[in-house]
Amino acid sequence: MPFIAKYMVYLSDTDAAGIVHFANYLRFVERAEEDFYRSMGLPKIYEFMPRIEAFIRYESPIRRGDSISVELSLEEARTRAVRYGFNIFNDSTGIRAAYGHVAAACVEMSEGTMRAIKCPREVIEAWTKVGGPT
Amino acid sequence: MPFIAKYMVYLSDTDAAGIVHFANYLRFVERAEEDFYRSMGLPKIYEFMPRIEAFIRYESPIRRGDSISVELSLEEARTRAVRYGFNIFNDSTGIRAAYGHVAAACVEMSEGTMRAIKCPREVIEAWTKVGGPT
Amino acid sequence: MPFIAKYMVYLSDTDAAGIVHFANYLRFVERAEEDFYRSMGLPKIYEFMPRIEAFIRYESPIRRGDSISVELSLEEARTRAVRYGFNIFNDSTGIRAAYGHVAAACVEMSEGTMRAIKCPREVIEAWTKVGGPT
Amino acid sequence: MPFIAKYMVYLSDTDAAGIVHFANYLRFVERAEEDFYRSMGLPKIYEFMPRIEAFIRYESPIRRGDSISVELSLEEARTRAVRYGFNIFNDSTGIRAAYGHVAAACVEMSEGTMRAIKCPREVIEAWTKVGGPT
């Protein structure tokens, strides 16, 4: 059962084409990821997960005043990284706006530099609860 | 020979992890795309090219005060869409920060809605001058 | 009784200083303004109110994961403009983070240009319901 | 003689009203401040200057593809803070787009918290070279 977060879309999310700016879709996805970790009681984990990869396919526009649902599901939990899939649904139109995935690494800060580590057990467990795509 | 644009990185491009926010890499890529069309004398073409897809692989961080080079090259010119590849180099460290691609559609606005069209000849010609990845 | 909207603060709101970027405070204020008009049944009014002036005094930082309350109250309803005051409270620390005001003009789009108009009665009425600062 | 920095305006600076989003004017001003400190050989000073206050008066819109000049001049150098004025000119229309001021504090990070300090002599000297508004 995927994790679902709902957000409103504001003027500052859009650009002069009249729709949400394409880079801001990734901000919505990241917000959902932060809300996911928070919902799992892991608000501090997120800081240590730099992005490895992002892929997004745009299907339909989102406009100011629309409400959206961002749905996250586990794609792959590796030793040192997690890859999750996402769907962004435009609840105001009933149409999927985008889908894709994000891969993020588990790291540790030590003396100002990041070092790859095994993902903490809590991270893996949290994603396992969410499970794969429906 | 790819198109190359150079930018400075400012505080407002970064996040609390101390590095450029991952979604802002796509803003740099889009800036380069806009500068590319402008350099080709096509400043108005850009408005009609909504994003179909974006992929980005993050390799190393970019920090405030770094200067970067964004390199664009044609991957595929289809009838109704263009896909270009990009590299982002961190000129302050000499290391590539990211690479990926963006696909964008050729459309026409008519009565407030977008309709897919054949890409204008100037768009194809502009990208052909840039050519493929080195 | 001021209008109050509550928001979460995410990584993408922050900068490398580890706190919310100073320009993003104005985004929170604008979000609250949009939620205010929406709560009053006036979602479309907002489009026609370009900013005349903004003033903000920063009192304490906001961090990723904090929740905030944005409080709006009418300062002055003029014929062609509205000026409202705002407070941003950091609910996670219990401390006010910022205060200030925004003035916005009532305009009409005609043939692609904006023309100042008398503010619609609904706009004035909505703000009158909110009333002045506490 | 004020410090002047020139920037291009891109799609990601705009919003669905077709013009630069009002909060992004402050990003342009901050970019100019960063370029100012860099031009004075003080790239690291900026990190320690949290914003106290910002005021901006909007006079005319800026659009994607416009080029702008941001002009900074000293308004007041106090012991623990600097207030500078700014003008943003839209070089594509020849019209001033906005003016205002920003006040920033001199602080020191110690054990993760900021403490107000006397502004470093180099900061005062740098602003003195720039001088007051013309």
Side-chain angles (χ1 to χ4, degrees), chain C residues 21-24 26-27 30 51-58, chain D residues 21-24 26-27 30 51-58:
Chain C
H21 187 260
F22 83 118
N24 289 341
L26 293 182
R27 292 175 159 229
E30 187 188 48
R51 271 77 262 278
I52 298 169
E53 188 176 293
F55 169 77
I56 180 161
R57 183 89 187 181
Y58 299 93
Chain D
H21 187 260
F22 83 117
N24 289 341
L26 293 182
R27 292 174 159 230
E30 187 187 48
R51 270 80 263 277
I52 298 168
E53 189 176 293
F55 169 78
I56 180 161
R57 183 89 187 180
Y58 299 93

Side-chain angles (χ1 to χ4, degrees), chain D residues 42-126:
Chain D
L42 303 172
K44 289 296 174 195
I45 293 293
Y46 180 77
E47 289 175 50
F48 301 95
M49 300 198 69
R51 270 80 263 277
I52 298 168
E53 189 176 293
F55 169 78
I56 180 161
R57 183 89 187 180
Y58 299 93
E59 295 189 313
S60 66
I62 310 173
R63 293 189 161 77
R64 181 171 71 87
D66 287 352
S67 42
I68 60 169
S69 296
V70 182
E71 193 184 280
L72 305 184
S73 56
L74 180 64
E75 287 197 349
E76 189 187 9
R78 281 173 287 171
T79 311
R80 293 166 189 283
V82 167
R83 194 177 71 207
Y84 66 82
F86 64 81
N87 287 302
I88 303 176
F89 294 98
N90 187 333
D91 297 332
S92 300
T93 61
I95 296 172
R96 185 165 70 170
Y99 68 89
H101 70 256
V102 169
C106 296
V107 300
E108 185 175 73
M109 297 301 288
S110 100
E111 293 166 28
T113 54
M114 292 187 302
R115 199 171 56 84
I117 57 161
K118 274 185 63 175
C119 287
R121 183 204 298 254
E122 309 92 283
V123 169
I124 305 304
E125 284 176 356

Side-chain angles (χ1 to χ4, degrees), chain A residues 21 30 52-53 57-58, chain B residues 21 30 52-54 57-58:
Chain A
H21 187 259
E30 187 187 48
I52 298 169
E53 189 176 295
R57 183 89 186 179
Y58 300 92
Chain B
H21 187 260
E30 187 187 49
I52 298 169
E53 188 177 295
R57 182 89 186 181
Y58 300 92

Side-chain angles (χ1 to χ4, degrees), chain D residues 3-53:
Chain D
F3 176 78
I4 296 174
K6 293 181 176 291
Y7 306 109
M8 275 302 302
V9 175
Y10 296 96
L11 185 64
S12 62
D13 301 314
T14 63
D15 65 32
I19 56 180
V20 170
H21 187 260
F22 83 117
N24 289 341
Y25 283 67
L26 293 182
R27 292 174 159 230
F28 292 144
V29 171
E30 187 187 48
R31 272 195 215 171
E33 186 185 330
E34 293 184 77
D35 284 333
F36 164 68
Y37 284 120
R38 194 176 296 113
S39 78
M40 293 293 177
L42 303 172
K44 289 296 174 195
I45 293 293
Y46 180 77
E47 289 175 50
F48 301 95
M49 300 198 69
R51 270 80 263 277
I52 298 168
E53 189 176 293

Side-chain angles (χ1 to χ4, degrees), chain B residues 60-111:
Chain B
S60 66
I62 309 172
R63 295 190 159 76
R64 180 172 72 86
D66 287 352
S67 42
I68 60 168
S69 296
V70 182
E71 194 184 279
L72 306 184
S73 56
L74 180 64
E75 287 197 349
E76 188 186 11
R78 283 174 285 172
T79 311
R80 293 166 189 282
V82 167
R83 194 177 73 208
Y84 65 82
F86 64 81
N87 288 302
I88 304 177
F89 294 99
N90 187 333
D91 297 333
S92 300
T93 61
I95 297 172
R96 186 166 69 171
Y99 68 90
H101 71 256
V102 168
C106 296
V107 300
E108 185 175 74
M109 297 301 289
S110 99
E111 292 166 29

Side-chain angles (χ1 to χ4, degrees), chain A residues 83-105:
Chain A
R83 194 178 70 207
Y84 65 83
F86 64 81
N87 287 303
I88 304 177
F89 294 100
N90 187 334
D91 297 333
S92 300
T93 61
I95 296 171
R96 186 165 69 171
Y99 68 89
H101 70 257
V102 168

